[in-house]
Amino acid sequence: MNPKMIEWLYGELPGLVATGVLDEASAAGLRAHYGPLAPRRSGRLAVLIFGILGAVLIGAGVILLLAHNWDDLTRPARAVLSFLPLLLAQGLAFWVLARRPASGAWREGVSAFLFLAIGASISLVAQTYNISGDLPAFLLTWSLLGLPLVYLLDAVVPGLFYLWAITEWTCHVRWTDGYAAGYWLLLAGLVPYAAVLLRAGRYQPRPVVLLWAGCISVAVAAGTTTERVLPGLWIVLYAGLFALMFLAGEFWFGEGEGFWVRPLRHIGAGGVLVLAFLLTFEWPWHEVGWHYHRWALVADKPWRLLPDAVLGGLAPLAAIVLLATTWRRKRPLGLVMGLAPVTAVLGYALASGTHAGMAAGLFDLYLLAAGLWLLATGLRISSRSQTNIGLLAVSALIAARFFDTDLDFLLRGLLFIALGVAFLVTNLILIRRKGAAHV
Amino acid sequence: MYKKPLLLLGLAAASLAQLAVPGWMIVRREITLREGELFKFSTAPVDPADAFRGRYVWLRLEPDRVTVPGGAAWPDNRRAYAVLAADANGFAKVIRLDPTLPSDAPAIPVRVLWSDSRTGEVHIRWPLDRFYMEEKKAPAAEAAYRSRSRRDNRDCHVTVRVHDGNAVLENLFIDGQPIRDYLNVTGKSY
């Protein structure tokens, strides 16, 4: 039961006993059944957040002071000063580990400061010796030196910094035509910690925050770690990845209450719908498929295609396997989202046979079906968010197709008014229905 | 999760690694500055700023394209070592590009951007493009550098120490004076 409700109940008990609604024994029985009140978490969370913020601000301040590049100091003096933020943060980390190992605020705050200090020290030395920026090498060194903090101080914030750094690294390597598949090894470095956290309580704030960041990072890296040998592979890959995220969220995080505790489900669903909308246009389908392969790009190093094969092949396949189990578990929403990779594979096959228009048409049908289904079931279970998402999907589709055609402004205007009215009316109905249910 | 002594030991190891990286960067540069051979490079003009590392003067070393034996055969975007020699005025010139660090002559690691098969010229990027200064002096220094390094008015150069495949930018000269002295002499007290 929700701790807030238990707190409310315990507040009511003395009054109920006084008015004779309950006797002492029943009140004591209720207290024994629900157990003692958990300590209030909101206070602890505030301390945690302000602890991290304070540490990050102080860390940034020290770094900026040193970045001033004091000309009056000799070169060796500046070099020694570069170690200052690092030594300070390390000293604090030792103190926390020895004296305050139980304090989440101290552990998170100090490890955040230390992670920043590592990057700062390297940057300051680079500044003292006029070393030019090799950003990918810097990011890689920084993240690898910072990763152990996650485990040693049992802290999530350095994990978030680490995810940012390796994602940024992947993008920079990709921009310079490098091979960024090492990202998956770097990501694996964080997996054991995430697994321990998730096992201890998958709806707790710390694993949830890490999972949000992880999902976003993976969504970015999936595209940047593949070679561009098979044009349009991203279509199948992302359809598979987002469907996989959604289905995994439905399977293993199904009991979470509220939007924030279910990142897999929401990033997955959002990804599927946005991707499906993009794929209703013809431009993504032009010049994709086997006929346009650029094998020459990797002819001398075919092993570079490994992430393409694994991601482009396994992500949709895994999603389809999960889809099959969804079928057995009778989870219709999973079925709608899970069909995205199947549709993508079909569309890709059609577009490879140079039927770009048909592939786009396939996604017109998919998005229309998914939108209408979300709308209809949303209305049935009186879920305003689901109804609106369904309505948004259908409206976006209609609006996009109308912009493709050369209709005059009068018709387009009338269409938008009709869509607006549809939004207002459905929401009014749902609000009324909810109101009636409460009376 | 684990026992405290083990965690403290782990933190000690991680801390040492964190100190070792900037430490090793310093040691390598100090050795290069002390024992390295001195080369002068003329410079060409350009700009921007890097918020993360305070302010610096953005430099472009010359030559940025070189004619070397077998130049046209270099593939794009490859690392190479530019083997150096000094001309009559002490300025650096590239005598050849090697795929690995040569043992017989001073060399700086560069990136081959692309090679022109028609002229046989190889376009390279030097790893030295920043000269850091105190926050308030850097813009003035850059203005001075830019006014002195236009095509018709070039009297800017940098000194670079080269040792064992490492290169460290030692100083930036304008009108034959180190940049810090030049800024003081011209009365630009920032």
Short mmCIF file of all heavy atoms in Angstrom, two decimals, chain A residues 195-254:
data_model
loop_
_atom_site.label_atom_id
_atom_site.label_comp_id
_atom_site.label_asym_id
_atom_site.label_seq_id
_atom_site.Cartn_x
_atom_site.Cartn_y
_atom_site.Cartn_z
N ALA A 195 22.31 -3.68 -12.70
CA ALA A 195 21.61 -4.93 -12.39
C ALA A 195 21.39 -5.05 -10.88
O ALA A 195 20.30 -5.41 -10.42
CB ALA A 195 22.40 -6.11 -12.92
N VAL A 196 22.44 -4.74 -10.11
CA VAL A 196 22.32 -4.83 -8.64
C VAL A 196 21.24 -3.86 -8.15
O VAL A 196 20.38 -4.22 -7.33
CB VAL A 196 23.68 -4.52 -7.98
CG1 VAL A 196 23.52 -4.35 -6.48
CG2 VAL A 196 24.67 -5.63 -8.28
N LEU A 197 21.27 -2.63 -8.67
CA LEU A 197 20.29 -1.62 -8.25
C LEU A 197 18.88 -2.05 -8.59
O LEU A 197 17.96 -1.95 -7.78
CB LEU A 197 20.56 -0.30 -8.97
CG LEU A 197 21.53 0.70 -8.33
CD1 LEU A 197 21.42 2.02 -9.05
CD2 LEU A 197 21.25 0.88 -6.85
N LEU A 198 18.70 -2.56 -9.83
CA LEU A 198 17.36 -2.93 -10.29
C LEU A 198 16.83 -4.11 -9.48
O LEU A 198 15.65 -4.18 -9.15
CB LEU A 198 17.39 -3.30 -11.77
CG LEU A 198 17.51 -2.11 -12.73
CD1 LEU A 198 17.80 -2.58 -14.14
CD2 LEU A 198 16.24 -1.28 -12.71
N ARG A 199 17.74 -5.00 -9.12
CA ARG A 199 17.31 -6.17 -8.37
C ARG A 199 16.86 -5.77 -6.96
O ARG A 199 15.95 -6.34 -6.39
CB ARG A 199 18.45 -7.19 -8.30
CG ARG A 199 17.93 -8.59 -8.14
CD ARG A 199 19.02 -9.59 -8.30
NE ARG A 199 19.25 -9.91 -9.70
CZ ARG A 199 20.10 -10.84 -10.09
NH1 ARG A 199 20.79 -11.51 -9.19
NH2 ARG A 199 20.27 -11.11 -11.36
N ALA A 200 17.54 -4.73 -6.41
CA ALA A 200 17.19 -4.30 -5.06
C ALA A 200 15.85 -3.58 -5.03
O ALA A 200 15.21 -3.50 -3.98
CB ALA A 200 18.29 -3.39 -4.52
N GLY A 201 15.39 -3.05 -6.15
CA GLY A 201 14.10 -2.35 -6.16
C GLY A 201 13.99 -1.55 -7.43
O GLY A 201 14.55 -0.47 -7.53
N ARG A 202 13.26 -2.10 -8.40
CA ARG A 202 13.34 -1.52 -9.75
C ARG A 202 12.56 -0.22 -9.89
O ARG A 202 12.69 0.45 -10.88
CB ARG A 202 12.90 -2.54 -10.77
CG ARG A 202 11.47 -2.96 -10.65
CD ARG A 202 11.14 -4.03 -11.64
NE ARG A 202 11.61 -5.33 -11.17
CZ ARG A 202 11.30 -6.48 -11.77
NH1 ARG A 202 10.61 -6.47 -12.87
NH2 ARG A 202 11.72 -7.61 -11.27
N TYR A 203 11.72 0.11 -8.90
CA TYR A 203 10.96 1.36 -9.02
C TYR A 203 11.50 2.45 -8.09
O TYR A 203 10.87 3.47 -7.88
CB TYR A 203 9.48 1.11 -8.75
CG TYR A 203 8.90 0.05 -9.67
CD1 TYR A 203 8.43 -1.16 -9.17
CD2 TYR A 203 8.88 0.26 -11.05
CE1 TYR A 203 7.93 -2.14 -10.02
CE2 TYR A 203 8.38 -0.72 -11.90
CZ TYR A 203 7.91 -1.91 -11.39
OH TYR A 203 7.44 -2.87 -12.23
N GLN A 204 12.67 2.19 -7.49
CA GLN A 204 13.31 3.19 -6.63
C GLN A 204 13.88 4.31 -7.51
O GLN A 204 14.23 4.07 -8.67
CB GLN A 204 14.43 2.55 -5.82
CG GLN A 204 13.96 1.51 -4.83
CD GLN A 204 13.06 2.11 -3.76
OE1 GLN A 204 13.40 3.13 -3.18
NE2 GLN A 204 11.90 1.51 -3.55
N PRO A 205 14.01 5.53 -6.95
CA PRO A 205 14.49 6.65 -7.78
C PRO A 205 15.84 6.40 -8.45
O PRO A 205 16.02 6.74 -9.62
CB PRO A 205 14.59 7.80 -6.79
CG PRO A 205 13.77 7.43 -5.63
CD PRO A 205 13.66 5.94 -5.59
N ARG A 206 16.80 5.79 -7.72
CA ARG A 206 18.15 5.68 -8.30
C ARG A 206 18.20 4.79 -9.53
O ARG A 206 18.68 5.20 -10.58
CB ARG A 206 19.14 5.25 -7.23
CG ARG A 206 19.33 6.38 -6.22
CD ARG A 206 20.26 6.10 -5.07
NE ARG A 206 20.71 4.76 -4.88
CZ ARG A 206 22.00 4.42 -4.77
NH1 ARG A 206 22.92 5.33 -4.86
NH2 ARG A 206 22.32 3.19 -4.56
N PRO A 207 17.67 3.54 -9.45
CA PRO A 207 17.68 2.74 -10.69
C PRO A 207 16.83 3.35 -11.79
O PRO A 207 17.18 3.23 -12.97
CB PRO A 207 17.11 1.38 -10.25
CG PRO A 207 16.51 1.58 -8.93
CD PRO A 207 17.22 2.74 -8.30
N VAL A 208 15.74 4.03 -11.43
CA VAL A 208 14.87 4.61 -12.45
C VAL A 208 15.60 5.71 -13.23
O VAL A 208 15.58 5.74 -14.47
CB VAL A 208 13.57 5.17 -11.81
CG1 VAL A 208 12.87 6.12 -12.77
CG2 VAL A 208 12.64 4.02 -11.44
N VAL A 209 16.31 6.59 -12.50
CA VAL A 209 17.06 7.68 -13.16
C VAL A 209 18.12 7.08 -14.09
O VAL A 209 18.29 7.51 -15.24
CB VAL A 209 17.71 8.60 -12.11
CG1 VAL A 209 18.69 9.54 -12.76
CG2 VAL A 209 16.64 9.39 -11.38
N LEU A 210 18.82 6.06 -13.57
CA LEU A 210 19.88 5.43 -14.38
C LEU A 210 19.28 4.79 -15.64
O LEU A 210 19.87 4.86 -16.73
CB LEU A 210 20.58 4.36 -13.53
CG LEU A 210 21.95 3.91 -13.99
CD1 LEU A 210 22.91 5.09 -14.06
CD2 LEU A 210 22.51 2.84 -13.07
N LEU A 211 18.10 4.21 -15.49
CA LEU A 211 17.46 3.55 -16.63
C LEU A 211 17.01 4.56 -17.69
O LEU A 211 17.17 4.31 -18.89
CB LEU A 211 16.25 2.75 -16.12
CG LEU A 211 15.83 1.56 -16.98
CD1 LEU A 211 16.98 0.61 -17.22
CD2 LEU A 211 14.67 0.81 -16.31
N TRP A 212 16.48 5.69 -17.25
CA TRP A 212 16.12 6.75 -18.21
C TRP A 212 17.34 7.15 -19.02
O TRP A 212 17.31 7.17 -20.25
CB TRP A 212 15.58 7.99 -17.49
CG TRP A 212 14.12 7.97 -17.23
CD1 TRP A 212 13.50 7.65 -16.06
CD2 TRP A 212 13.06 8.29 -18.16
NE1 TRP A 212 12.14 7.74 -16.21
CE2 TRP A 212 11.84 8.14 -17.47
CE3 TRP A 212 13.03 8.68 -19.49
CZ2 TRP A 212 10.60 8.36 -18.08
CZ3 TRP A 212 11.79 8.91 -20.10
CH2 TRP A 212 10.60 8.76 -19.39
N ALA A 213 18.43 7.46 -18.30
CA ALA A 213 19.65 7.91 -18.98
C ALA A 213 20.17 6.81 -19.90
O ALA A 213 20.60 7.07 -21.03
CB ALA A 213 20.71 8.31 -17.96
N GLY A 214 20.12 5.55 -19.40
CA GLY A 214 20.62 4.43 -20.20
C GLY A 214 19.83 4.27 -21.49
O GLY A 214 20.41 4.07 -22.56
N CYS A 215 18.50 4.39 -21.39
CA CYS A 215 17.65 4.22 -22.59
C CYS A 215 17.97 5.31 -23.62
O CYS A 215 18.08 5.03 -24.81
CB CYS A 215 16.18 4.32 -22.21
SG CYS A 215 15.56 2.87 -21.38
N ILE A 216 18.12 6.56 -23.15
CA ILE A 216 18.40 7.65 -24.08
C ILE A 216 19.76 7.43 -24.73
O ILE A 216 19.92 7.57 -25.95
CB ILE A 216 18.35 9.01 -23.34
CG1 ILE A 216 16.91 9.27 -22.88
CG2 ILE A 216 18.83 10.14 -24.24
CD1 ILE A 216 16.76 10.43 -21.92
N SER A 217 20.74 7.04 -23.90
CA SER A 217 22.09 6.81 -24.42
C SER A 217 22.09 5.72 -25.48
O SER A 217 22.68 5.88 -26.56
CB SER A 217 23.01 6.44 -23.25
OG SER A 217 24.24 5.99 -23.71
N VAL A 218 21.42 4.61 -25.19
CA VAL A 218 21.37 3.48 -26.14
C VAL A 218 20.67 3.91 -27.43
O VAL A 218 21.11 3.56 -28.54
CB VAL A 218 20.66 2.27 -25.51
CG1 VAL A 218 20.29 1.24 -26.56
CG2 VAL A 218 21.56 1.62 -24.46
N ALA A 219 19.59 4.71 -27.28
CA ALA A 219 18.85 5.14 -28.48
C ALA A 219 19.76 5.99 -29.38
O ALA A 219 19.69 5.89 -30.60
CB ALA A 219 17.61 5.91 -28.07
N VAL A 220 20.61 6.81 -28.77
CA VAL A 220 21.53 7.64 -29.57
C VAL A 220 22.62 6.76 -30.19
O VAL A 220 22.92 6.83 -31.38
CB VAL A 220 22.19 8.74 -28.71
CG1 VAL A 220 23.26 9.48 -29.50
CG2 VAL A 220 21.14 9.72 -28.22
N ALA A 221 23.19 5.87 -29.33
CA ALA A 221 24.35 5.09 -29.77
C ALA A 221 23.99 4.05 -30.82
O ALA A 221 24.82 3.70 -31.66
CB ALA A 221 25.01 4.42 -28.57
N ALA A 222 22.75 3.54 -30.80
CA ALA A 222 22.37 2.51 -31.76
C ALA A 222 22.62 3.00 -33.18
O ALA A 222 23.10 2.25 -34.04
CB ALA A 222 20.90 2.14 -31.58
N GLY A 223 22.31 4.25 -33.43
CA GLY A 223 22.53 4.79 -34.77
C GLY A 223 23.98 5.14 -35.05
O GLY A 223 24.46 4.94 -36.16
N THR A 224 24.69 5.66 -34.01
CA THR A 224 26.05 6.14 -34.26
C THR A 224 27.09 5.03 -34.28
O THR A 224 28.20 5.25 -34.74
CB THR A 224 26.47 7.19 -33.21
OG1 THR A 224 26.13 6.70 -31.92
CG2 THR A 224 25.79 8.51 -33.44
N THR A 225 26.75 3.84 -33.75
CA THR A 225 27.76 2.78 -33.74
C THR A 225 27.67 1.86 -34.96
O THR A 225 28.47 0.96 -35.11
CB THR A 225 27.66 1.91 -32.47
OG1 THR A 225 26.33 1.44 -32.35
CG2 THR A 225 28.04 2.68 -31.24
N THR A 226 26.67 2.10 -35.81
CA THR A 226 26.59 1.24 -36.99
C THR A 226 27.29 1.92 -38.17
O THR A 226 27.32 3.15 -38.25
CB THR A 226 25.12 0.97 -37.37
OG1 THR A 226 24.41 2.20 -37.35
CG2 THR A 226 24.47 0.00 -36.43
N GLU A 227 27.84 1.13 -39.04
CA GLU A 227 28.48 1.66 -40.25
C GLU A 227 27.37 2.02 -41.22
O GLU A 227 26.25 1.54 -41.11
CB GLU A 227 29.39 0.60 -40.87
CG GLU A 227 30.48 0.12 -39.95
CD GLU A 227 31.49 1.21 -39.64
OE1 GLU A 227 31.95 1.88 -40.57
OE2 GLU A 227 31.79 1.39 -38.45
N ARG A 228 27.70 2.85 -42.21
CA ARG A 228 26.62 3.22 -43.14
C ARG A 228 26.72 2.43 -44.43
O ARG A 228 26.70 2.99 -45.51
CB ARG A 228 26.66 4.71 -43.40
CG ARG A 228 26.09 5.46 -42.23
CD ARG A 228 26.71 6.77 -42.02
NE ARG A 228 26.40 7.24 -40.66
CZ ARG A 228 26.92 8.32 -40.13
NH1 ARG A 228 27.77 9.03 -40.81
NH2 ARG A 228 26.62 8.66 -38.89
N VAL A 229 26.86 1.11 -44.27
CA VAL A 229 27.07 0.27 -45.45
C VAL A 229 25.74 -0.07 -46.12
O VAL A 229 25.63 -0.05 -47.34
CB VAL A 229 27.83 -1.00 -45.06
CG1 VAL A 229 27.85 -1.99 -46.20
CG2 VAL A 229 29.24 -0.65 -44.65
N LEU A 230 24.73 -0.38 -45.29
CA LEU A 230 23.43 -0.75 -45.84
C LEU A 230 22.46 0.41 -45.61
O LEU A 230 21.95 0.58 -44.51
CB LEU A 230 22.92 -2.02 -45.16
CG LEU A 230 21.79 -2.74 -45.88
CD1 LEU A 230 22.23 -3.17 -47.27
CD2 LEU A 230 21.34 -3.94 -45.07
N PRO A 231 22.20 1.22 -46.64
CA PRO A 231 21.35 2.40 -46.44
C PRO A 231 19.97 2.00 -45.95
O PRO A 231 19.39 1.03 -46.43
CB PRO A 231 21.26 3.02 -47.84
CG PRO A 231 22.42 2.47 -48.58
CD PRO A 231 22.68 1.11 -48.02
N GLY A 232 19.48 2.71 -44.95
CA GLY A 232 18.14 2.46 -44.44
C GLY A 232 18.08 1.40 -43.36
O GLY A 232 17.00 1.11 -42.84
N LEU A 233 19.25 0.83 -42.98
CA LEU A 233 19.24 -0.18 -41.92
C LEU A 233 18.67 0.40 -40.62
O LEU A 233 18.06 -0.30 -39.82
CB LEU A 233 20.67 -0.70 -41.67
CG LEU A 233 20.78 -1.82 -40.65
CD1 LEU A 233 20.19 -3.10 -41.21
CD2 LEU A 233 22.21 -2.06 -40.22
N TRP A 234 18.87 1.73 -40.45
CA TRP A 234 18.37 2.39 -39.23
C TRP A 234 16.87 2.21 -39.06
O TRP A 234 16.37 2.17 -37.93
CB TRP A 234 18.74 3.87 -39.25
CG TRP A 234 18.06 4.66 -40.35
CD1 TRP A 234 18.51 4.83 -41.62
CD2 TRP A 234 16.82 5.36 -40.26
NE1 TRP A 234 17.63 5.59 -42.34
CE2 TRP A 234 16.58 5.93 -41.53
CE3 TRP A 234 15.88 5.57 -39.24
CZ2 TRP A 234 15.44 6.69 -41.80
CZ3 TRP A 234 14.76 6.33 -39.52
CH2 TRP A 234 14.55 6.88 -40.79
N ILE A 235 16.13 2.05 -40.14
CA ILE A 235 14.67 1.91 -40.05
C ILE A 235 14.32 0.64 -39.28
O ILE A 235 13.58 0.67 -38.29
CB ILE A 235 14.05 1.86 -41.47
CG1 ILE A 235 14.26 3.21 -42.16
CG2 ILE A 235 12.59 1.48 -41.42
CD1 ILE A 235 13.88 3.22 -43.63
N VAL A 236 14.91 -0.47 -39.72
CA VAL A 236 14.65 -1.76 -39.08
C VAL A 236 15.21 -1.76 -37.66
O VAL A 236 14.58 -2.23 -36.71
CB VAL A 236 15.31 -2.88 -39.91
CG1 VAL A 236 15.05 -4.23 -39.27
CG2 VAL A 236 14.78 -2.87 -41.33
N LEU A 237 16.42 -1.19 -37.53
CA LEU A 237 17.12 -1.19 -36.25
C LEU A 237 16.31 -0.43 -35.20
O LEU A 237 16.06 -0.94 -34.11
CB LEU A 237 18.48 -0.54 -36.47
CG LEU A 237 19.54 -0.62 -35.38
CD1 LEU A 237 20.89 -0.34 -36.02
CD2 LEU A 237 19.32 0.32 -34.27
N TYR A 238 15.91 0.80 -35.51
CA TYR A 238 15.20 1.60 -34.51
C TYR A 238 13.79 1.07 -34.24
O TYR A 238 13.32 1.13 -33.10
CB TYR A 238 15.17 3.06 -34.92
CG TYR A 238 16.40 3.80 -34.46
CD1 TYR A 238 17.40 4.17 -35.33
CD2 TYR A 238 16.57 4.08 -33.11
CE1 TYR A 238 18.53 4.81 -34.89
CE2 TYR A 238 17.70 4.73 -32.65
CZ TYR A 238 18.69 5.09 -33.55
OH TYR A 238 19.80 5.72 -33.10
N ALA A 239 13.11 0.55 -35.28
CA ALA A 239 11.79 -0.03 -35.04
C ALA A 239 11.92 -1.19 -34.06
O ALA A 239 11.15 -1.32 -33.11
CB ALA A 239 11.16 -0.49 -36.34
N GLY A 240 12.97 -2.02 -34.26
CA GLY A 240 13.21 -3.15 -33.38
C GLY A 240 13.57 -2.69 -31.98
O GLY A 240 13.04 -3.20 -30.99
N LEU A 241 14.47 -1.71 -31.90
CA LEU A 241 14.96 -1.25 -30.60
C LEU A 241 13.84 -0.65 -29.75
O LEU A 241 13.68 -1.01 -28.58
CB LEU A 241 16.07 -0.21 -30.82
CG LEU A 241 16.69 0.32 -29.55
CD1 LEU A 241 17.53 -0.75 -28.87
CD2 LEU A 241 17.55 1.54 -29.84
N PHE A 242 13.04 0.24 -30.35
CA PHE A 242 11.99 0.89 -29.56
C PHE A 242 10.90 -0.11 -29.17
O PHE A 242 10.39 -0.07 -28.05
CB PHE A 242 11.39 2.06 -30.34
CG PHE A 242 12.30 3.26 -30.40
CD1 PHE A 242 12.54 3.93 -31.60
CD2 PHE A 242 12.92 3.72 -29.25
CE1 PHE A 242 13.37 5.03 -31.64
CE2 PHE A 242 13.76 4.83 -29.29
CZ PHE A 242 13.99 5.48 -30.49
N ALA A 243 10.56 -1.03 -30.09
CA ALA A 243 9.55 -2.04 -29.75
C ALA A 243 10.07 -2.93 -28.63
O ALA A 243 9.34 -3.27 -27.69
CB ALA A 243 9.22 -2.87 -30.98
N LEU A 244 11.37 -3.26 -28.72
CA LEU A 244 11.99 -4.09 -27.68
C LEU A 244 11.94 -3.38 -26.33
O LEU A 244 11.58 -3.99 -25.31
CB LEU A 244 13.45 -4.36 -28.07
CG LEU A 244 14.20 -5.38 -27.25
CD1 LEU A 244 13.54 -6.74 -27.38
CD2 LEU A 244 15.64 -5.46 -27.71
N MET A 245 12.26 -2.08 -26.32
CA MET A 245 12.20 -1.31 -25.08
C MET A 245 10.79 -1.34 -24.50
O MET A 245 10.59 -1.60 -23.32
CB MET A 245 12.60 0.15 -25.34
CG MET A 245 14.08 0.39 -25.41
SD MET A 245 14.36 2.16 -25.60
CE MET A 245 16.15 2.19 -25.72
N PHE A 246 9.81 -1.09 -25.38
CA PHE A 246 8.43 -1.04 -24.90
C PHE A 246 8.00 -2.38 -24.32
O PHE A 246 7.48 -2.47 -23.21
CB PHE A 246 7.48 -0.65 -26.04
CG PHE A 246 6.05 -0.61 -25.59
CD1 PHE A 246 5.55 0.51 -24.97
CD2 PHE A 246 5.23 -1.72 -25.76
CE1 PHE A 246 4.24 0.54 -24.52
CE2 PHE A 246 3.92 -1.70 -25.31
CZ PHE A 246 3.42 -0.57 -24.69
N LEU A 247 8.28 -3.46 -25.05
CA LEU A 247 7.83 -4.78 -24.60
C LEU A 247 8.56 -5.19 -23.33
O LEU A 247 7.94 -5.75 -22.41
CB LEU A 247 8.05 -5.81 -25.71
CG LEU A 247 7.16 -5.61 -26.94
CD1 LEU A 247 7.55 -6.55 -28.06
CD2 LEU A 247 5.69 -5.82 -26.58
N ALA A 248 9.86 -4.89 -23.26
CA ALA A 248 10.61 -5.20 -22.03
C ALA A 248 10.01 -4.43 -20.87
O ALA A 248 9.88 -4.95 -19.76
CB ALA A 248 12.08 -4.85 -22.21
N GLY A 249 9.65 -3.18 -21.12
CA GLY A 249 9.01 -2.36 -20.08
C GLY A 249 7.69 -2.97 -19.62
O GLY A 249 7.38 -3.00 -18.44
N GLU A 250 6.92 -3.46 -20.59
CA GLU A 250 5.63 -4.07 -20.25
C GLU A 250 5.82 -5.35 -19.45
O GLU A 250 5.07 -5.64 -18.53
CB GLU A 250 4.87 -4.42 -21.54
CG GLU A 250 4.22 -3.23 -22.21
CD GLU A 250 2.99 -2.75 -21.46
OE1 GLU A 250 1.88 -3.26 -21.70
OE2 GLU A 250 3.18 -1.85 -20.61
N PHE A 251 6.85 -6.12 -19.80
CA PHE A 251 7.05 -7.43 -19.18
C PHE A 251 7.63 -7.33 -17.79
O PHE A 251 7.19 -7.98 -16.87
CB PHE A 251 7.99 -8.27 -20.05
CG PHE A 251 7.26 -9.03 -21.11
CD1 PHE A 251 6.02 -8.60 -21.55
CD2 PHE A 251 7.82 -10.16 -21.67
CE1 PHE A 251 5.35 -9.28 -22.53
CE2 PHE A 251 7.14 -10.86 -22.65
CZ PHE A 251 5.91 -10.41 -23.08
N TRP A 252 8.71 -6.52 -17.68
CA TRP A 252 9.47 -6.55 -16.44
C TRP A 252 9.26 -5.33 -15.55
O TRP A 252 9.78 -5.26 -14.46
CB TRP A 252 10.96 -6.75 -16.76
CG TRP A 252 11.17 -8.08 -17.41
CD1 TRP A 252 10.84 -9.30 -16.86
CD2 TRP A 252 11.71 -8.35 -18.70
NE1 TRP A 252 11.15 -10.30 -17.74
CE2 TRP A 252 11.69 -9.75 -18.89
CE3 TRP A 252 12.23 -7.56 -19.72
CZ2 TRP A 252 12.16 -10.36 -20.04
CZ3 TRP A 252 12.69 -8.16 -20.87
CH2 TRP A 252 12.65 -9.55 -21.02
N PHE A 253 8.55 -4.34 -16.06
CA PHE A 253 8.30 -3.15 -15.24
C PHE A 253 6.81 -2.81 -15.26
O PHE A 253 6.42 -1.68 -15.22
CB PHE A 253 9.11 -1.96 -15.76
CG PHE A 253 10.60 -2.17 -15.64
CD1 PHE A 253 11.29 -2.87 -16.62
CD2 PHE A 253 11.28 -1.68 -14.54
CE1 PHE A 253 12.64 -3.08 -16.50
CE2 PHE A 253 12.65 -1.88 -14.43
CZ PHE A 253 13.32 -2.58 -15.41
N GLY A 254 5.99 -3.85 -15.37
CA GLY A 254 4.56 -3.66 -15.58
C GLY A 254 3.83 -3.10 -14.37
O GLY A 254 2.77 -2.50 -14.52
#
